[in-house]
Amino acid sequence: MSSTPENFKAGFACFVGRPNAGKSTLTNALVGKKIVITSSKPQTTRHAVRGIVHRPDAQLILVDTPGLHKPRTLLGERLNDLVKTTWAEVDVIAICLPASDKIGPGDRFLVTEAAKVAKTPKVALATKADLVEPDRMVEHLADIAKLGESVGIEWASVVPVSATSGYQVDVVADELVKLLPAGFPLYPDGDITDEPEETLVAELIREAALEGVRDELPHSIAVTIDEMNLREDRPENKPLLDIYANIFLERESQKGIVIGHKGARLREVGAAARKQIEALLGTPVYLDLHVKIAKNWQTDAKNLRKLGF
Ligand SMILES: Nc1nc2c(ncn2[C@@H]2O[C@H](COP(=O)(O)OP(=O)(O)OP(=O)(O)O)[C@@H](O)[C@H]2O)c(=O)[nH]1
Ligand SMILES: [Mg+2]
């Protein structure tokens, strides 16, 4: 191809923020389809997931990252390293600061770290705008301005946004696109993520398993796919996708909670996940779930590797 185009932009923006800041929900809202899982439990996202926004004037590639936090496990350290490698590689860093919470030490820490990636433009997003009254938003925006000054970041823009109501989601896209370099599209038209289907499916199962569990259990859940194949000998108009998946936990004592009385909870998880997978892939699914133990996998290097970290 010849030199860069004059009226088309293409590049990467990453969302960073502390756990639960609304990064993944905003990624889905911008892409227009659910490509990353979300939950009310902190530290849901465990990979850097790319979501692609196609516009007539630009291709904006979003990178959703795990929430940056004070690591307590080897997994936590790996996730934080992943965030830092990601923001070193993008064209724009978008820092998510939920309006529903006061700016705290966690935000200050991550903004201080982000400031070290000096040459990359930074946008501040006041997420969850729907949860607050206008006067609280005004206070929050003032705090964001002060936070930027205190660490030497000059915000390219500051945007209040609600991913759940849709308020200013398009403005976020505009502000990010402005900061992208001129370039040709990097992904084929219509691609919305480069995650393999198996990963998306494993994540949907993990999301369903996260629902309704509490305390430390959400962190202990990991999902792997053993097999994913169209069943043979099916009529062409009635395909069925067989999926064999494992839900890994860290301790035997956690099994009962996930499986439930006579398997009732596990069946619920399976039914919820199957619905989501069918919506994503457009094929009826047979889902076989097994609950297994990978002892203390969050702190065990060998088990982490086995689970893909
Ligand atoms: N009311 C409201 N809730 C939101 C909004 N965005 C996200 N949430 C909720 O906040 C919680 C966390 O959202 P996520 O998108 O999973 O947050 P995250 O920043 O990706 O979290 P980690 O992956 O754990 O770092 C979920 O319960 C979301 O439904 C919003 O704009 N408004
Ligand atoms: Mg997330």
Side-chain angles (χ1 to χ4, degrees), residues 39-54:
S39 92
S40 56
K41 282 98 195 167
Q43 297 170 45
T44 300
T45 304
R46 290 179 181 159
H47 295 95
V49 187
R50 290 179 182 184
I52 303 145
V53 182
H54 299 270

Side-chain angles (χ1 to χ4, degrees), residues 17-26 37-46 64-68 127-131 161-165:
R18 62 173 133 108
N20 230 19
K23 302 175 290 296
S24 299
T25 310
L26 187 56
I37 65 167
T38 63
S39 92
S40 56
K41 282 98 195 167
Q43 297 170 45
T44 300
T45 304
R46 290 179 181 159
D64 181 23
T65 65
L68 204 64
T127 53
K128 308 194 185 185
D130 59 292
L131 292 179
V161 59
S162 166
T164 51
S165 81

Side-chain angles (χ1 to χ4, degrees), residues 24-199:
S24 299
T25 310
L26 187 56
T27 302
N28 288 337
L30 281 157
V31 171
K33 201 165 171 188
K34 176 163 165 174
I35 53 155
V36 284
I37 65 167
T38 63
S39 92
S40 56
K41 282 98 195 167
Q43 297 170 45
T44 300
T45 304
R46 290 179 181 159
H47 295 95
V49 187
R50 290 179 182 184
I52 303 145
V53 182
H54 299 270
R55 310 196 341 167
D57 60 335
Q59 188 175 79
L60 168 64
I61 301 141
L62 302 169
V63 190
D64 181 23
T65 65
L68 204 64
H69 60 285
K70 204 171 187 158
R72 285 180 296 124
T73 62
L74 194 55
L75 173 68
E77 284 172 34
R78 297 269 164 90
L79 297 187
N80 282 0
D81 290 346
L82 177 68
V83 178
K84 291 180 186 169
T85 354
T86 304
W87 67 26
E89 290 170 349
V90 295
D91 302 297
V92 189
I93 298 173
I95 299 180
C96 297
L97 302 157
S100 50
D101 299 326
K102 288 241 182 238
I103 285 170
D107 300 311
R108 213 158 282 125
F109 166 71
L110 80 91
V111 170
T112 307
E113 291 295 303
K116 294 177 189 164
V117 197
K119 63 181 190 321
T120 310
K122 291 163 201 82
V123 169
L125 303 178
T127 53
K128 308 194 185 185
D130 59 292
L131 292 179
V132 301
E133 298 299 328
D135 51 348
R136 164 62 201 148
M137 183 56 88
V138 170
E139 182 191 31
H140 190 54
L141 295 178
D143 288 345
I144 290 175
K146 268 187 242 151
L147 180 65
E149 276 166 30
S150 70
V151 297
I153 290 179
E154 198 174 320
W155 302 116
S157 62
V158 181
V159 187
V161 59
S162 166
T164 51
S165 81
Y167 168 70
Q168 300 226 106
V169 169
D170 51 343
V171 178
V172 172
D174 290 343
E175 291 301 318
L176 296 178
V177 163
K178 270 187 207 163
L179 298 164
L180 297 183
F184 292 99
L186 299 160
Y187 285 91
D189 217 15
D191 281 16
I192 52 169
T193 181
D194 60 359
E195 286 288 285
E197 262 178 15
E198 285 202 2
T199 312

